[in-house]
């Protein structure tokens, strides 16, 4: 792969939460000898290292949410309003995990007013014009970013278990193009993000309508071809349909600072990593990192 770039975009918050809840359900939280909770960070490292081993990137970038207030909460006050507060033991790990990422000489990217999704979308669109991009996440909303050179690796249960989405695989599995992923969400809404879509239209109907009419515009232009019941639901909820589609759309023009290519070139400073691992008492993870070998560009 000499001379060829492959960027790994890591959905930091999604992986940290996954790592935290994968271990905290037992009620036993891993802590340092001084009592600092580190179970989420410890699990994050295992996922992070596995993704690097699996996809062999030349460049790595980790993206983060920067708070609960974004341009979407301005558009719809209840956006993600149903989400509980982060567990108390997870809160101190938000900063710790970024320190660990920095110890790998990987940049942490986040932007006030935007979600990590928007940062990843902006980077994917820009970098995917010339280079291979793999996005590692557990968030199926990211499938709208799939393109010829941009693939989305959805994390499944267990470390090292991914489903890699290309445009063809997305079409084969779901009968959708990346753009249609947005339109389906506009119709059915998203309970996790707390926007309703069209009241009374669920996932099965949303898929059927978009597959039949190609897009929301195609559907609205042919409402005479759908059942009176569905037509009434859509006509009664047009404003929310358009708003839900807007909320579902990843913003791919976030005002990110230019990234120095050298800054996100994947390298490894074992002394720096070992120092951080010693501080967090992650001795068992040193062997994992010792197996990593950066790829020359």
């Amino acid at each position: 792969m000499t001379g060829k770039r492959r960027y790994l975009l890591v959905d930091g918050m999604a992986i940290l939460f996954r790592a935290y809840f994968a271990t905290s359900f037992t009620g036993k939280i891993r802590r340092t000898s001084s009592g600092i909770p580190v179970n989420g960070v410890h699990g994050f490292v295992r996922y992070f290292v596995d993704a690097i081993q699996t996809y062999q990137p030349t460049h790595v970038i980790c993206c983060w949410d920067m708070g609960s207030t974004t341009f979407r909460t301005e558009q719809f006050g209840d956006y993600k309003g149903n989400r509980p507060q982060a567990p108390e033991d997870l809160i101190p790990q938000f900063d710790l995990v970024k320190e660990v990422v920095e110890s790998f000489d990987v940049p942490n990217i986040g932007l006030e007013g935007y979600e990590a999704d928007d940062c990843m979308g902006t980077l994917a669109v820009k970098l995917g014009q010339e280079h291979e991009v793999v996005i590692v996440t557990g968030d199926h909303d990211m499938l709208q970013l799939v393109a010829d050179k941009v693939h989305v690796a959805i994390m499944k249960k267990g470390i090292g278990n991914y489903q890699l989405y290309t445009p063809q695989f997305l079409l084969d599995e779901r009968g959708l193009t990346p753009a249609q992923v947005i339109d389906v969400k506009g119709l059915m809404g998203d309970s996790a993000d707390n926007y309703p879509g069209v009241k009374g239209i669920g996932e099965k109907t949303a898929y059927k309508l978009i597959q039949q009419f190609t897009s929301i515009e195609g559907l609205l232009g042919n409402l005479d071809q759908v059942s009176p019941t569905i037509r009434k639901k859509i006509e009664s909820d047009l404003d929310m349909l358009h708003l839900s589609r807007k909320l579902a759309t990843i913003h791919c023009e976030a005002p990110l600072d230019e990234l120095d290519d050298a800054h996100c070139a994947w390298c490894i400073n074992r002394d720096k990593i070992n120092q951080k691992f010693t501080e967090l008492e992650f001795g068992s993870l040193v062997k994992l990192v010792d197996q990593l070998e950066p790829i020359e560009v």
Side-chain angles (χ1 to χ4, degrees):
M1 238 180 78
T2 302
K4 190 176 181 181
R5 294 186 188 181
R6 176 181 292 145
Y7 286 82
L8 184 70
L9 304 184
V10 178
D11 188 345
M13 204 65 81
I15 296 177
L16 178 64
F17 270 81
R18 176 180 288 253
Y20 176 84
F21 287 110
T23 54
S24 64
F25 75 94
T26 63
K28 187 175 182 182
I29 301 290
R30 183 188 185 99
R31 300 177 189 276
T32 64
S33 54
S34 60
I36 299 170
V38 291
N39 67 310
V41 182
H42 187 273
F44 177 94
V45 172
R46 295 180 66 211
Y47 284 117
F48 182 70
V49 170
D50 182 80
I52 290 171
Q53 287 178 319
T54 300
Y55 293 107
Q56 297 288 296
T58 58
H59 296 66
V60 184
I61 304 169
C62 197
C63 296
W64 302 93
D65 293 329
M66 300 294 286
S68 58
T69 302
T70 68
F71 70 92
R72 290 183 181 85
T73 54
E74 293 175 9
Q75 294 173 342
F76 184 57
D78 289 334
Y79 181 73
K80 291 191 176 180
N82 58 340
R83 298 210 173 173
Q85 292 288 322
E88 190 175 333
D89 283 328
L90 180 56
I91 293 171
Q93 300 188 59
F94 291 146
D95 289 334
L96 283 177
V97 73
K98 291 177 185 176
E99 292 173 14
V100 168
V101 170
E102 286 171 7
S103 77
F104 280 82
D105 285 334
V106 167
N108 291 301
I109 302 297
L111 194 61
E112 294 285 346
Y114 293 84
E115 296 181 50
D117 293 15
D118 304 310
C119 296
M120 285 182 282
T122 300
L123 291 167
V125 167
K126 180 180 179 181
L127 297 170
Q129 293 174 20
E130 296 182 24
H131 310 293
E132 288 183 58
V133 177
V134 177
I135 300 170
V136 174
T137 182
D139 185 357
H140 289 250
D141 291 351
M142 304 294 281
L143 296 179
Q144 64 188 267
L145 299 176
V146 169
D148 287 342
K149 291 187 177 179
V150 179
H151 300 162
V152 174
I154 295 290
M155 301 170 71
K156 304 181 84 174
K157 192 171 182 179
I159 292 174
N161 192 9
Y162 308 90
Q163 179 60 69
L164 188 68
Y165 282 84
T166 63
Q168 188 60 53
F169 185 79
L170 179 62
L171 190 63
D172 291 344
E173 185 196 64
R174 305 196 179 195
L176 298 177
T177 65
Q180 288 175 326
V181 170
I182 303 171
D183 285 358
V184 165
K185 294 296 288 290
L187 278 168
M188 64 179 276
D190 187 326
S191 58
D193 288 342
N194 203 41
Y195 58 87
V198 175
K199 188 176 181 181
I201 290 188
E203 181 176 25
K204 187 175 178 181
T205 302
Y207 268 79
K208 182 180 176 183
L209 291 171
I210 294 304
Q211 287 165 346
Q212 181 178 353
F213 297 105
T214 306
S215 65
I216 284 175
E217 285 75 19
L219 170 61
L220 295 179
N222 292 280
L223 283 179
D224 57 327
Q225 295 182 35
V226 302
S227 72
T229 303
I230 290 176
R231 177 173 182 167
K232 185 178 179 181
K233 288 175 180 177
I234 293 171
E235 289 178 337
S236 299
D237 238 349
L238 273 178
D239 289 345
M240 186 51 73
L241 169 61
H242 291 303
L243 177 57
S244 293
R245 179 164 67 164
K246 190 181 289 187
L247 293 171
T249 303
I250 292 173
H251 185 79
C252 294
E253 295 181 355
L256 292 176
D257 293 334
E258 285 293 318
L259 270 181
D260 179 1
D261 283 340
H263 186 46
C264 55
W266 168 236
C267 59
I268 190 162
N269 184 331
R270 298 190 194 282
D271 290 340
K272 196 172 175 182
I273 293 169
N274 287 340
Q275 182 180 347
K276 179 55 66 174
F277 279 16
T278 299
E279 177 190 324
L280 297 176
E281 300 168 20
F282 285 177
S284 62
L285 297 181
V286 171
K287 286 183 180 178
L288 276 183
V289 178
D290 284 344
Q291 297 171 15
L292 291 178
E293 288 296 336
I295 294 171
E296 297 292 331
V297 182

